[in-house]
Amino acid sequence: MMNNKVLVVYKSISGFTRKYAEMISQEIDCTLMDFKEVNETTMSNFDTVIFGGRLHAGTVDGLKNAKKLFMQSKASQFVVYATGAMPNESTKVIEEMWGNNLSPEELSDIPHFYMQGGISYERLPLSDKLMMKIFSAMLNKKKDKTEDEKQMAQAISGSYDISSKDYIMPLISSLKSGRK
């Protein structure tokens, strides 16, 4: 039976965010839409809107616009997830990223989750591909790397996909329990 009260919306460039959106929508049997197809009227047809975007230069791609549409809609709950190449274990960096994307009030009011997916250099736009290669080169040249920097250098060295249904479970548990 489909959960008509939940909408999963994603903005995906290389496919990881879409893959997670599909996993989430299958797990809770709800409506799935590309962010390009959504407006405040669409969101108003649902109680809960789950938005997913990739991490891009420290920001969750599309989040600012998704929050704006949500605020204009009649939906009552907004949930966010971000995908990226950063290892899930880089909790300090992930917390900083959320602090840069959500206000202190939003951090406490909006359930937010990070899901490591990977990198597909083959599907990235040229500008993003170049940016990642430059960042990788800078990290590799750096002496005295932190543990997070070592993990990130390894994570962005080439294309890979470690997307896992396990990574959506905290979000699913949060929805099922009604917790924020």
Side-chain angles (χ1 to χ4, degrees):
M1 183 174 178
M2 181 174 251
N3 185 342
N4 291 321
K5 297 184 180 274
V6 179
L7 171 66
V8 178
V9 181
Y10 63 89
K11 183 172 183 191
S12 188
I13 300 296
S14 58
F16 295 102
T17 306
R18 179 184 178 144
K19 182 187 265 190
Y20 278 120
E22 290 168 348
M23 286 184 211
I24 293 164
S25 69
Q26 288 170 0
E27 186 69 24
I28 59 175
D29 194 22
C30 66
T31 303
L32 172 69
M33 295 181 81
D34 189 309
F35 188 59
K36 291 180 253 182
E37 303 168 6
V38 175
N39 58 37
E40 67 272 6
T41 304
T42 312
M43 285 187 182
S44 293
N45 292 320
F46 300 89
D47 293 336
T48 300
V49 174
I50 302 169
F51 173 77
R54 70 177 177 146
L55 277 183
H56 183 256
T59 61
V60 180
D61 194 16
L63 179 57
K64 186 176 179 182
N65 290 333
K67 285 192 294 188
K68 186 175 169 184
L69 288 180
F70 171 77
M71 294 303 291
Q72 295 169 348
S73 80
K74 293 179 180 145
S76 58
Q77 184 182 25
F78 190 60
V79 178
V80 179
Y81 73 92
T83 63
M86 185 172 15
N88 286 331
E89 297 78 20
S90 298
T91 52
K92 184 178 178 200
V93 177
I94 293 168
E95 285 174 21
E96 288 174 14
M97 174 274 298
W98 284 121
N100 293 331
N101 283 272
L102 299 171
S103 71
E105 183 179 289
E106 290 171 335
L107 283 169
S108 64
D109 292 346
I110 299 173
H112 49 282
F113 305 88
Y114 176 75
M115 301 167 193
Q116 183 180 0
I119 291 183
S120 176
Y121 283 106
E122 301 77 20
R123 289 186 257 157
L124 282 178
L126 181 59
S127 59
D128 289 355
K129 201 180 303 187
L130 291 172
M131 184 178 76
M132 292 302 291
K133 290 296 183 183
I134 291 168
F135 181 55
S136 179
M138 287 171 44
L139 267 181
N140 286 327
K141 286 181 183 175
K142 185 177 179 187
K143 297 179 191 327
D144 303 326
K145 292 181 200 62
T146 66
E147 195 54 41
D148 283 341
E149 289 169 335
K150 288 176 189 173
Q151 287 179 349
M152 181 54 87
Q154 176 64 33
I156 64 174
S157 63
S159 294
Y160 67 96
D161 181 354
I162 60 163
S163 303
S164 170
K165 188 175 177 181
D166 293 343
Y167 298 151
I168 71 167
M169 296 322 284
L171 185 152
I172 300 301
S173 295
S174 173
L175 284 176
K176 288 182 177 177
S177 72
R179 284 190 321 243
K180 290 188 176 185

